[in-house]
Amino acid sequence: MVASLYAPSEAKKALWVFLEIEGGDFAGVSIELLSKGRDLAGKAGWTVCGLLLGNDVSDLANQAYSYGADEVWLIDHPLLGEFDVCGYSHVTMQAIKVGKPSVFLLGATPNGRDLAGRLAVRLRTGLNADCTDLILDEDRGVLISEVTGFGGGVIALLESAEHCPQMSTVRPGVFVANEPEDNRQGELVNMKVKLKKADIRSTVVERHVGEGVDLTQAPVLICGGRGIDGDFEILRELAALVDGEVGATRPPVDEGHIERERQVGQTGVVCRPKVALNFGISGAFHFIVGIQDAETIIAINTDPEAPIFEHADYCIVENAHKILPELIKVLRRERESIHA
Amino acid sequence: MTVDQRPIEIDDALWEELIEITDGKAAPCFQCGVCTAACPWGLVRGDPLSVRSIMRGAQLGFLEAQEAIWLCTACGQCEIYCPREVPIVDVFQGLRQLLWERRKTPAGLTTVLWSVYWNNNPLSQPPSQRMGWAEGLDLQAYDSSKHEILMYFGCTASYDSRAQSVARAIVQLLRAADVSFGTLGEEEPCCGEAVLRLGHSPYFQDVAQHATDIFEKIKVGKLVTVSPHCFDVFKNHYPHINESFKPIHYTEYIAGLIEGNRLILEGSLSSKITYHDPCLLGRVNESTHYPRVILETVPDARVIEMPQSGPDTLCCGGGGGRMWMETPPGERFSDLRIQEALDVDADIIATACPLCISCLEDSIGSMGVTKLKVHDIAEIAQMALGEVSKNDPVEE
Amino acid sequence: MPDLEIVVCMKVVPKSEEVRVDTETLLLERTGVRSEINPPDMNALEMALTLKDDQPARISILSMGPPFFEPVLRVGLAMGAERFFLMSDREFAGADTLATTYTLAQGIGKIGKFDLILCGEESADGATGQVPPGLAEWLDLPQVTLATELSVDQKKRIARVRREIKGGYEIHEVKLPTVISVKTASNEPRFIDFHRKLWAFEEAEVVIWSHADVDVEHGYIGLTGSPTVVAGLREAEVRERRKEFLRGSPEEVAKEIAKRLRGILN
Ligand SMILES: Cc1cc2nc3c(=O)[nH]c(=O)nc-3n(C[C@H](O)[C@H](O)[C@H](O)COP(=O)(O)OP(=O)(O)OC[C@H]3O[C@@H](n4cnc5c(N)ncnc54)[C@H](O)[C@@H]3O)c2cc1C
Ligand SMILES: Cc1cc2nc3c(=O)[nH]c(=O)nc-3n(C[C@H](O)[C@H](O)[C@H](O)COP(=O)(O)OP(=O)(O)OC[C@H]3O[C@@H](n4cnc5c(N)ncnc54)[C@H](O)[C@@H]3O)c2cc1C
Ligand code: SF4
Ligand code: SF4
């Protein structure tokens, strides 16, 4: 059998969390993992360590403590300003060899998954992907991860008791972030690492946000049908709040309320978002084929018999014009409270 | 008659390929232009589909107007007027095949073929859900020694929630008439009509062969279809299956039940009904009588004809694979058709094809029409069943 | 300039909606279940073929899986790939992503020279998305995941990759050779080329490798080489749409929707 780089017997009773930075702040999932890590480690008497990589990011350490980190392992380096999976794996590996954690958690974000996938191989250890729950068997010191497969139809429990660190990536939103304890203290471990330019192996030459978005790839789809009477402005407002894209059925496109590129369905675009919110749409087959692969479908329609409800997870019999302003209000309030 | 004055560049290799793929079928064309005049695109576009010049291209070996090649709805209107009996629809399909070979097909069409390949339906629906609509109906697996007919539902009626109601209505009618019938369940093969019409002839041959093998194995006899599209390919485009194989559109079969007094419509439906002949029934397969037999049997209903009816029916726009291509508003034939139904003051526009229903209902919505409803003949007959038969546990 | 050598990693997946868990044995029931080529692997192959449309290239399909993968993946040959290598052996079975990536990497080593390794973003069954980065690690190559477009400059030995990110995209440049994972639905895979069909499905020779044919260490492959142990398996309770009606005033309902959005998105 493959042996991991260090054996479980050599591992420290520590749970590590990769602190992913997104737009100068922690990604939501990193905070959720610190919070969950705190709960798991607290019961087992382990330490929680945040692994913080970046260029000039030491300021973020305090925030990590407030969410539950006992230690922050900081690797601050000019070459770490941009996420590059090769550079990040290179330095993380050095930290892990020193810290020898029992458990290492990362967010199942695109970058988190990339990094985890490389590291697990380099460490010769098991990696559980996109977990939807984590349990720590305190007696054995073993992490049990719940994962799904086959489009969410099958749930499996995985563990890798013989290998260290026990790695898992966790989907954003699975765990709830704790309230921060503002004066919670922690210890900063300043890691000096070896990193040279040649260790960075891909360069981002362009980055475009908020343009050239491809409806087929949008994680959130806000669709309007004939029932919203051409008021796409309010859908755009909603979309902006949830980083979504606006789509439509054919009639509003025909009537010129929105561009043809945004028509969803058999003769439009076929999408596979995490969630599709549908306002004033009856649910004709030609439209449904465009959203049937959505993980979650929410429909708002005044007609309780509307066929779309047969295809929805959450059904709301109500006037879309009444729901939309309220939903925008709630989401806006939520946003403000996060940024406050 | 106008003749193109431009010099044309002829590419010999293309010419040979074209002649081979179209089997020289455009050869008899003498460029009279009757087809262009007959084609319904002329009714909705300032720039009609120049069928004549496409035939000319097919004769001479040039492939212009590639977009126009995808417009044809295979409605067959041009063919009945063509003095030279050019099989125009076949020529269009041949040209499409050439565009497949050159990988110059409109976006989205490859997905249709792949869906037939992996899902056994052109609609990107899970194959295991094919009989989802029939839950609780307790349909029997076909047994040629036991059953009068094999009921073939087809992909659209199996998956499109609107058309599913037609499938259910037909089941109820068959039960009301005590017909013993079976189905192929999840194993029902896609007929491949979409593939044929989109012009991928080699793949269509494969699909048809696969279905043929299944039909042979079960010793199929009478096969009744929901859709005129399935009916037409089985009847006119399939290899020989066996002596007893007989595809029948359900309107003919139900009309037979009525005429043989096996099915009695006793309920009442006091409506003015006009009938939209699907191209593949009314024109291409000259079946205009049976649908009307059913409608005329409905107690209290008044059947009125629209000006374009029978073999002269107006295409809904959904054939020829057009269901997978966008038609701009203002160019949808079904709008004209709905107007025609309104002009004869009908309450119901009846039809007998799931694709016609889609197009007509879509036009009703976009035109904001409220007084006219679209129903399939099977649904109308179902409504006209007497109370007793209606109590059969079929709904839901 | 030599032809671009592209390896496309492809696997066959069961139709998710048909997979069941046997409640007694706690194993996946896969018999009688229809399968298909993992959808993004088709996009990866299409991306390779698009490159080949414009420059001389040779495309090799590589897969690890049971023998029934062979007829299914011949589709790739019919679409335009030149070669197909199938690593098929009971010893490879039960592999987690560590063992899978090790085995595939050894297979790639045996294939020899390559410039690009293309994978799908994730599989429809295990759906870990860990194979592409894992492969890149074993082969010590750079990687770009979630690509939707790719161009290659053979002279400069550089690949330009469009990678989807939240609310937009980035253009990455990496040196060849590299591993790239391709987003589902980022292109429309071309259909079977019927001129290749006979060759692809009947004549073409598929290279089938058992563990003895490749340079693999026994402890690194299959179940033995897999640190990950399945401790439990069950079917999800909700496999179909929930069809749950949320009731209340618009304000209450809006709060309910927001709560669920938070759960889904975050
Ligand atoms: C060949 C062909 C291709 C097609 N391709 C596509 C395609 O790609 N995409 C597509 O979308 N369609 C397509 N269609 C059209 C499709 O058949 C339907 O007509 C269309 O999807 C209906 O759009 P809708 O639900 O917005 O409108 P409707 O069916 O008119 O539904 C409007 C709904 O809004 C509800 N409503 C009204 N007021 C309110 C309110 N205030 N609040 C909440 N609900 C309200 C009503 O109850 C109703 O259910 C195609 C049709 C054809 C024939
Ligand atoms: C429900 C479920 C959950 C699982 N969870 C885990 C887990 O958390 N951790 C773990 O280590 N294993 C897990 N596995 C096992 C894992 O599925 C296998 O190791 C599998 O061989 C590779 O992983 P993947 O399917 O997730 O591939 P992904 O990494 O999702 O696949 C990405 C791409 O890699 C390529 N690829 C993947 N497999 C092959 C192959 N066999 N041949 C050729 N190319 C390939 C394809 O291009 C594919 O698109 C799980 C399996 C199941 C059924
Ligand atoms: S078949 Fe119909 S649509 Fe096609 S060219 Fe003839 S008339 Fe026009
Ligand atoms: S009607 Fe017939 S002969 Fe006349 S132009 Fe058309 S195809 Fe040719």
Side-chain angles (χ1 to χ4, degrees):
Chain A
M1 192 167 72
V2 206
S4 51
L5 237 56
Y6 56 94
S9 56
E10 298 168 68
K12 305 266 164 51
K13 290 195 182 313
L15 177 152
W16 279 32
V17 173
F18 172 64
L19 298 174
E20 186 170 347
I21 299 175
E22 201 184 87
D25 230 325
F26 287 141
V29 66
S30 299
I31 295 173
E32 292 156 16
L33 287 180
L34 279 177
S35 306
K36 180 68 183 181
R38 180 77 258 143
D39 296 346
L40 294 176
K43 285 183 209 136
W46 291 11
T47 35
V48 176
C49 307
L51 178 66
L52 180 57
L53 314 187
N55 181 21
D56 203 7
V57 290
S58 56
D59 286 356
L60 288 168
N62 281 332
Q63 208 187 328
Y65 305 139
S66 74
Y67 284 107
D70 302 307
E71 294 171 9
V72 167
W73 288 51
L74 173 70
I75 307 179
D76 215 313
H77 197 287
L79 289 175
L80 296 176
E82 281 275 353
F83 177 87
D84 167 73
V85 66
C86 294
Y88 269 51
S89 327
H90 188 71
V91 297
T92 303
M93 192 64 193
Q94 298 173 44
I96 287 180
K97 276 187 181 162
V98 176
K100 294 197 171 60
S102 291
V103 169
F104 185 28
L105 306 178
L106 302 91
T109 58
N111 290 345
R113 281 169 60 143
D114 280 9
L115 179 61
R118 280 196 95 107
L119 280 173
V121 168
R122 205 171 289 186
L123 289 156
R124 308 284 189 266
T125 189
L127 169 56
N128 305 318
D130 282 20
C131 301
T132 46
D133 201 5
L134 297 174
I135 302 153
L136 188 60
D137 178 338
E138 292 151 33
D139 298 336
R140 294 190 298 148
V142 171
L143 181 77
I144 302 164
S145 304
E146 181 187 276
V147 301
T148 63
F150 301 100
V154 171
I155 298 170
L157 295 178
L158 303 179
E159 53 179 62
S160 41
E162 316 283 322
H163 293 73
C164 259
Q166 307 172 59
M167 290 179 65
S168 292
T169 59
V170 179
R171 285 196 194 165
V174 165
F175 299 122
V176 184
N178 291 342
E179 284 299 316
E181 286 175 55
D182 286 338
N183 35 26
R184 202 172 167 280
Q185 300 292 310
E187 188 186 331
L188 190 74
V189 181
N190 221 322
M191 274 287 294
K192 287 284 162 270
V193 291
K194 293 201 192 88
L195 182 67
K196 30 182 211 319
K197 217 158 174 199
D199 297 323
I200 310 294
R201 295 172 75 181
S202 86
T203 22
V204 177
V205 291
E206 290 169 39
R207 179 170 291 135
H208 305 259
V209 175
E211 54 168 308
V213 186
D214 180 352
L215 223 55
T216 64
Q217 306 292 345
V220 185
L221 193 65
I222 311 283
C223 289
R226 183 156 22 224
I228 64 156
D229 305 313
D231 189 2
F232 279 88
E233 206 36 57
I234 193 160
L235 292 194
R236 278 184 213 110
E237 208 176 323
L238 173 61
L241 283 167
V242 289
D243 294 320
E245 285 296 319
V246 174
T249 59
R250 189 163 92 166
V253 172
D254 286 349
E255 287 164 19
H257 297 299
I258 184 160
E259 319 87 89
R260 175 77 54 198
E261 291 68 42
R262 293 194 183 262
Q263 176 177 320
V264 173
Q266 180 157 312
T267 50
V269 189
V270 174
C271 306
R272 38 206 323 285
K274 282 201 166 71
V275 55
L277 275 124
N278 304 285
F279 295 92
I281 293 174
S282 61
F285 178 74
H286 310 109
F287 170 74
I288 296 294
V289 295
I291 57 162
Q292 66 186 9
D293 289 334
E295 278 172 36
T296 303
I297 295 180
I298 303 179
I300 293 93
N301 193 307
T302 40
D303 174 8
E305 303 292 322
I308 193 155
F309 290 140
E310 286 297 308
H311 304 274
D313 295 287
Y314 302 111
C315 313
I316 294 110
V317 183
E318 183 57 271
N319 187 337
H321 299 299
K322 286 193 182 151
I323 299 284
L324 277 160
E326 290 297 332
L327 185 56
I328 288 174
K329 233 191 276 168
V330 181
L331 292 170
R332 191 163 284 149
R333 235 180 282 139
E334 243 174 46
R335 269 222 161 174
E336 278 157 10
S337 75
I338 289 172
H339 290 287
Chain B
M1 187 182 94
T2 57
V3 175
D4 291 11
Q5 299 297 325
R6 289 164 292 146
I8 36 177
E9 286 183 29
I10 293 173
D11 169 343
D12 283 340
L14 173 64
W15 183 76
E16 273 172 31
E17 211 179 334
L18 257 170
I19 298 298
E20 195 192 320
I21 276 185
T22 60
D23 203 11
K25 283 176 179 162
C29 168
F30 62 6
Q31 292 291 298
C32 69
V34 165
C35 47
T36 305
C39 176
W41 283 104
L43 302 172
V44 293
R45 282 163 68 111
D47 177 21
L49 169 53
S50 181
V51 188
R52 181 190 54 78
S53 57
I54 287 176
M55 294 306 120
R56 182 160 174 260
Q59 287 176 323
L60 297 180
F62 59 88
L63 251 189
E64 284 193 335
Q66 295 188 356
E67 272 167 45
I69 289 168
W70 298 99
L71 287 178
C72 175
T73 65
C75 74
Q77 179 77 331
C78 50
E79 286 185 6
I80 57 170
Y81 289 104
C82 170
R84 307 281 297 170
E85 295 186 5
V86 175
I88 298 173
V89 175
D90 285 357
V91 175
F92 266 95
Q93 277 163 208
L95 294 170
R96 288 179 181 186
Q97 188 183 333
L98 205 74
L99 294 178
W100 277 107
E101 302 230 334
R102 285 157 201 245
R103 295 206 299 110
K104 292 222 165 95
T105 53
L109 300 190
T110 314
T111 303
V112 177
L113 302 197
W114 280 125
S115 178
V116 174
Y117 193 88
W118 298 119
N119 302 321
N120 181 42
N121 68 70
L123 303 166
S124 299
Q125 298 302 302
S128 56
Q129 282 304 305
R130 193 170 183 98
M131 293 311 281
W133 64 274
E135 223 176 79
L137 289 186
D138 197 22
L139 301 182
Q140 306 281 305
Y142 178 70
D143 176 344
S144 62
S145 64
K146 230 170 66 191
H147 292 129
E148 293 173 69
I149 58 169
L150 167 66
M151 192 60 223
Y152 178 91
F153 294 100
C155 303
T156 310
S158 300
Y159 292 108
D160 178 334
S161 48
R162 176 64 186 87
Q164 287 170 352
S165 110
V166 179
R168 282 194 211 98
I170 292 174
V171 168
Q172 191 173 5
L173 293 170
L174 293 176
R175 288 196 166 154
D178 253 336
V179 175
S180 71
F181 67 97
T183 79
L184 293 175
E186 270 178 34
E187 305 309 317
E188 181 181 279
C190 171
C191 72
E193 201 254 359
V195 179
L196 174 75
R197 297 306 177 196
L198 290 175
H200 206 305
S201 166
Y203 183 44
F204 171 71
Q205 305 301 333
D206 280 5
V207 177
Q209 191 55 53
H210 171 71
T212 301
D213 293 345
I214 294 180
F215 291 148
E216 264 177 347
K217 208 169 102 210
I218 58 162
K219 301 200 178 64
V220 67
K222 279 185 186 163
L223 175 152
V224 175
T225 75
V226 175
S227 171
H229 293 262
C230 314
F231 165 63
D232 178 63
V233 275
F234 289 146
K235 180 159 173 263
N236 303 318
H237 302 277
Y238 258 50
H240 175 78
I241 293 179
N242 61 36
E243 291 311 318
S244 54
F245 178 59
K246 187 164 187 287
I248 308 171
H249 186 253
Y250 86 83
T251 48
E252 179 177 349
Y253 192 73
I254 299 282
L257 295 175
I258 290 173
E259 285 174 334
N261 284 324
R262 284 181 71 184
L263 181 68
I264 299 165
L265 304 181
E266 301 173 312
S268 146
L269 188 69
S270 52
S271 298
K272 277 176 284 180
I273 305 177
T274 192
Y275 175 59
H276 162 76
D277 294 84
C279 300
L280 291 178
L281 279 189
R283 184 163 33 243
V284 177
N285 288 294
E286 293 169 338
S287 178
T288 56
H289 169 69
Y290 302 113
R292 289 173 172 81
V293 166
I294 303 174
L295 290 176
E296 273 152 16
T297 316
V298 172
D300 304 319
R302 225 184 87 206
V303 181
I304 33 185
E305 294 288 348
M306 291 179 282
Q308 307 186 70
S309 71
D312 235 344
T313 185
L314 174 63
C315 174
C316 73
R322 292 292 309 169
M323 290 306 289
W324 288 277
M325 292 173 256
E326 195 48 85
T327 306
E331 295 188 8
R332 298 178 189 151
F333 307 163
S334 45
D335 290 358
L336 304 181
R337 195 51 154 173
I338 293 299
Q339 192 54 53
E340 216 174 320
L342 289 171
D343 291 345
V344 299
D345 201 27
D347 311 317
I348 292 177
I349 176 166
T351 189
C353 167
L355 305 188
C356 293
I357 298 180
S358 285
C359 294
L360 295 171
E361 281 192 345
D362 190 61
S363 288
I364 285 202
S366 63
M367 292 163 76
V369 172
T370 48
K371 69 155 291 224
L372 184 64
K373 295 257 172 313
V374 182
H375 281 299
D376 193 277
I377 287 184
E379 295 172 320
I380 291 172
Q382 182 191 31
M383 287 185 254
L385 279 175
E387 285 310 313
V388 186
S389 348
K390 253 195 197 157
N391 287 339
D392 282 355
V394 160
E395 275 298 299
E396 286 311 286
Chain C
M1 226 172 327
D3 291 3
L4 200 60
E5 288 282 353
I6 311 174
V7 176
V8 184
C9 297
M10 301 179 78
K11 72 185 265 192
V12 178
V13 291
K15 291 252 169 207
S16 291
E17 65 277 2
E18 300 187 21
V19 173
R20 291 280 173 279
V21 175
D22 184 323
T23 43
E24 276 179 17
T25 60
L26 289 188
L27 290 175
L28 289 170
E29 268 185 66
R30 289 193 181 190
T31 36
V33 171
R34 294 178 189 84
S35 44
E36 62 184 345
I37 295 181
N38 188 38
D41 301 1
M42 295 284 276
N43 299 112
L45 178 58
E46 176 58 33
M47 200 176 256
L49 291 165
T50 309
L51 287 177
K52 199 177 82 166
D53 289 340
D54 294 332
Q55 58 196 298
R58 179 163 67 163
I59 300 171
S60 306
I61 295 168
L62 174 66
S63 187
M64 178 190 85
F68 84 85
F69 277 25
E70 190 209 304
V72 183
L73 284 170
R74 279 179 180 266
V75 167
L77 294 174
M79 287 166 73
E82 275 75 20
R83 303 189 291 175
F84 172 16
F85 301 90
L86 178 62
M87 310 184 75
S88 195
D89 191 328
R90 277 180 195 284
E91 302 275 323
F92 295 143
D96 70 0
T97 55
L98 184 67
T100 300
T101 50
Y102 169 76
T103 310
L104 290 174
Q106 296 308 101
I108 290 170
K110 171 122 184 170
I111 291 176
K113 202 183 125 354
F114 60 87
D115 301 297
L116 279 169
I117 295 170
L118 301 186
C119 296
E121 63 167 311
E122 64 178 42
S123 70
D125 47 7
T128 66
Q130 283 164 198
V131 169
L135 261 181
E137 178 63 28
W138 283 111
L139 299 167
D140 190 21
L141 295 179
Q143 78 191 55
V144 183
T145 54
L146 310 177
T148 53
E149 283 169 27
L150 167 65
S151 61
V152 167
D153 187 332
Q154 255 280 50
K155 234 194 262 145
K156 292 196 195 134
R157 303 285 300 154
I158 277 179
R160 258 175 86 86
V161 192
R162 174 178 160 140
R163 179 185 197 232
E164 294 306 300
I165 56 168
K166 209 166 163 183
Y169 65 94
E170 306 167 329
I171 306 288
H172 287 246
E173 281 188 358
V174 275
K175 280 229 168 67
L176 299 181
T178 183
V179 175
I180 288 166
S181 89
V182 180
K183 272 287 256 182
T184 306
S186 54
N187 54 37
E188 197 183 7
R190 67 196 60 191
F191 198 58
I192 291 168
D193 176 350
F194 272 65
H195 299 292
R196 298 174 72 91
K197 202 182 134 208
L198 182 67
W199 170 77
F201 287 98
E202 285 164 37
E203 298 167 2
E205 216 167 302
V206 175
V207 181
I208 298 179
W209 284 327
S210 74
H211 79 280
D213 299 320
V214 254
D215 176 22
V216 289
E217 271 181 54
H218 193 259
Y220 276 67
I221 59 170
L223 203 55
T224 1
S226 299
T228 312
V229 175
V230 180
L233 198 65
R234 66 189 150 93
E235 256 173 62
E237 282 138 39
V238 199
R239 286 185 72 119
E240 287 169 7
R241 296 281 172 207
R242 286 190 186 82
K243 300 182 201 168
E244 179 184 334
F245 279 81
L246 307 179
R247 297 174 211 279
S249 69
E251 198 189 334
E252 287 160 352
V253 172
K255 280 192 185 139
E256 286 295 312
I257 300 176
K259 194 168 101 191
R260 285 171 174 82
L261 283 179
R262 218 180 304 132
I264 299 161
L265 299 173
N266 229 281

